[in-house]
Amino acid sequence: MLRSVRAAAIAACAFALFGGVAQAQKPDAKTTAPNQAPARRSATMQVRVTFSGSLLYRLIPSAGVPTVPIPIPAASASAPVAAIPLPANMVVHGTTLELIDSSTGKVARFPVQTRKVITVDDTSFTLVQTVLVPVEVENKGGVTDATVTLTSGPPTYHQQWTLKPADGGVAQFTNVPLTTPVTVKVTNGTDPPFVQTQTLPSNPPPDGYRWPVIYVSWSDVHTVPLQNATPNASGVPTGSNAAPSAAPAAGTSASPINRLFSMVFSIGLLGFLGWGLYTGYQRGHIKKMLENMGVVLPPPESADSTPAVNPFNPRERTPIIPITEGVTDPLAGVTPGAPQAYNGPPAPKLIGKAGAYSGSTYQLSTSTMQIGRDSGCDISLTTDANVSRQHATITSTGATFSIMDNGSSNGTFVNGARLLPNDPKCLAPGDEIHIGNTRFRFEV
């Protein structure tokens, strides 16, 4: 009986799936209705190319997603003009035609128009498709968390790139002017910026122009290891920092029918595997296989054994025993952030609760305690690269304690709130202080 029901269910699912495929392939009745108005005929843009090159083109609307770059249509012998088809639903006004010379890596742009022929020659290409700007600390690696700004003008050009660890210290810019001086500015918080200006070469490498390496010497800068990018004949790395390809390979996109069949096949395969595992478990094949491998399964509990506790029944749930330090909770009755007077002998301390210095204890034995990565600080956190050299200061006035951020790169946090630089914050027993990669608790 169970086998017949299972077979009927599988047959019903198969009929439903193939019925959905047939319905997806049927033409929509609305599109073939005799009373519907015919679709607007698509227009073309006429382009005359007067030089030899491998050209790709794409259309960039004023609002919306640009098209994928594809080869420009070939001109006929009778009319040496290439006709670029325009989508029927595209708004011509405000749309830009972008031509990419894949042999030189240069770009030309024209406003889309349908009433005259556009002539394209070598002077039409005034942009370079990709510019790579490497920023490094000498003998340490690529810079991260810094901002690289590239500007030029006129015409006005302004782009920013914030370096992430995955960039390997290389910022990437697109469609940069060739004929005007270009300025690169690298900034990192309050550190002095690095600025360089030059005019890009008129014949850049096809894969993009690589800016000379900018070496910075900031003390608090973060770095990552340089990626293994080997330069090619043009001097541009071929690793993950290389310029992106102008167009994807043809034939990589799958049709909706192929995707549907792939999804149905995957679901059927998973269902077959699940059915096989379930059948093997029911018949004892899996248990026998595990026993042959030396895995001994515990026998099932007998009927007279103690019933298991239901964790979802509040009456049967095991009570949770609170965890405290010592006899009483040291944070009971303490309101974080409210300074409290201390009348006993001074014994303030910072206890590392989580992170790089978890478990460490630092006694606040003087009225002024410096915290930082510098080995000369009273509380020296030398192994934490996210801690500045002079990160923060803890001071005591009588029975009141306060902490001040010294303008560190990554900030100082008390109970989750970032402190303003050079603005002291009163501390209370139990307050949590986050410095670099360590969270401390202040205790008195």
Side-chain angles (χ1 to χ4, degrees):
M1 180 64 181
L2 178 61
R3 182 176 301 174
S4 61
V5 172
R6 186 184 303 161
I10 294 175
C13 293
F15 279 118
L17 290 174
F18 283 106
V21 172
Q23 185 66 24
Q25 291 179 334
K26 290 177 61 179
D28 191 355
K30 295 181 179 180
T31 60
T32 58
N35 296 329
Q36 183 177 2
R40 187 181 62 180
R41 185 177 180 181
S42 59
T44 60
M45 182 174 179
Q46 307 295 320
V47 177
R48 178 184 291 109
V49 180
T50 61
F51 74 102
S52 60
S54 178
L55 290 184
L56 305 173
Y57 81 92
R58 68 170 182 168
L59 300 171
I60 306 175
S62 58
V65 180
T67 60
V68 176
I70 59 176
I72 193 170
S76 62
S78 58
V81 175
I84 297 178
L86 305 178
N89 58 350
M90 188 192 75
V91 179
V92 175
H93 180 71
T95 300
T96 301
L97 171 66
E98 182 177 273
L99 299 179
I100 305 167
D101 188 353
S102 57
S103 61
T104 62
K106 294 192 292 185
V107 177
R109 286 184 170 182
F110 303 93
V112 171
Q113 50 185 322
T114 59
R115 298 186 177 181
K116 67 177 184 178
V117 178
I118 300 298
T119 301
V120 180
D121 54 19
D122 288 330
T123 61
S124 303
F125 293 84
T126 59
L127 306 173
V128 60
Q129 187 178 16
T130 305
V131 172
L132 306 174
V133 181
V135 184
E136 302 176 10
V137 176
E138 194 167 3
N139 300 325
K140 290 187 66 176
V143 173
T144 183
D145 298 333
T147 300
V148 183
T149 305
L150 194 148
T151 57
S152 179
T156 303
Y157 179 90
H158 182 92
Q159 284 189 9
Q160 282 188 342
W161 185 283
T162 301
L163 292 170
K164 300 294 188 299
D167 297 331
V170 180
Q172 299 186 20
F173 301 91
T174 57
N175 297 331
V176 181
L178 284 170
T179 57
T180 58
V182 178
T183 300
V184 170
K185 181 178 181 181
V186 186
T187 58
N188 179 53
T190 58
D191 293 322
F194 282 77
V195 181
Q196 290 184 0
T197 301
Q198 66 170 317
T199 300
L200 302 182
S202 58
N203 293 316
D207 294 334
Y209 175 74
R210 187 174 179 86
W211 196 278
V213 179
I214 298 178
Y215 292 101
V216 298
S217 57
W218 300 315
S219 58
D220 292 338
V221 69
H222 298 164
T223 60
V224 295
L226 295 176
Q227 299 181 0
N228 296 326
T230 56
N232 54 21
S234 60
V236 179
T238 58
S240 60
N241 285 329
S245 176
T252 58
S253 61
S255 66
I257 300 301
N258 292 338
R259 289 197 298 267
L260 178 60
F261 274 110
S262 177
M263 180 179 65
V264 171
F265 177 78
S266 301
I267 294 175
L269 180 61
L270 291 176
F272 178 77
L273 292 176
W275 175 79
L277 291 175
Y278 175 76
T279 304
Y281 174 77
Q282 291 291 334
R283 298 181 179 180
H285 298 318
I286 295 180
K287 180 180 179 181
K288 185 177 180 180
M289 180 182 64
L290 293 176
E291 290 176 350
N292 293 335
M293 296 172 60
V295 179
V296 180
L297 299 177
E301 297 183 356
S302 59
D304 57 352
S305 60
T306 304
V309 176
N310 182 8
F312 300 100
N313 189 344
R315 296 182 180 179
E316 300 179 359
R317 187 181 305 157
T318 304
I320 299 175
I321 302 176
I323 300 175
T324 60
E325 297 183 3
V327 179
T328 60
D329 187 357
L331 304 183
V334 176
T335 302
Q340 299 180 358
Y342 177 71
N343 299 323
K349 54 184 174 293
L350 291 182
I351 300 177
K353 303 304 293 182
Y357 288 87
S358 177
S360 302
T361 301
Y362 300 94
Q363 300 290 339
L364 306 180
S365 56
T366 61
S367 59
T368 302
M369 299 288 291
Q370 295 289 341
I371 305 174
R373 198 174 74 249
D374 198 317
S375 58
C377 292
D378 301 301
I379 300 177
S380 180
L381 309 176
T382 56
T383 62
D384 193 342
N386 288 327
V387 177
S388 299
R389 297 184 181 275
Q390 302 289 337
H391 198 103
T393 304
I394 294 181
T395 58
S396 62
T397 305
T400 302
F401 298 87
S402 63
I403 186 171
M404 180 180 69
D405 182 79
N406 297 334
S408 62
S409 298
N410 296 318
T412 303
F413 299 81
V414 176
N415 296 329
R418 183 166 183 169
L419 303 182
L420 297 175
N422 304 318
D423 186 9
K425 168 71 174 178
C426 290
L427 294 175
D431 280 352
E432 288 191 349
I433 303 172
H434 190 175
I435 295 178
N437 288 328
T438 306
R439 185 170 70 251
F440 299 94
R441 187 170 69 191
F442 172 70
E443 291 187 0
V444 175

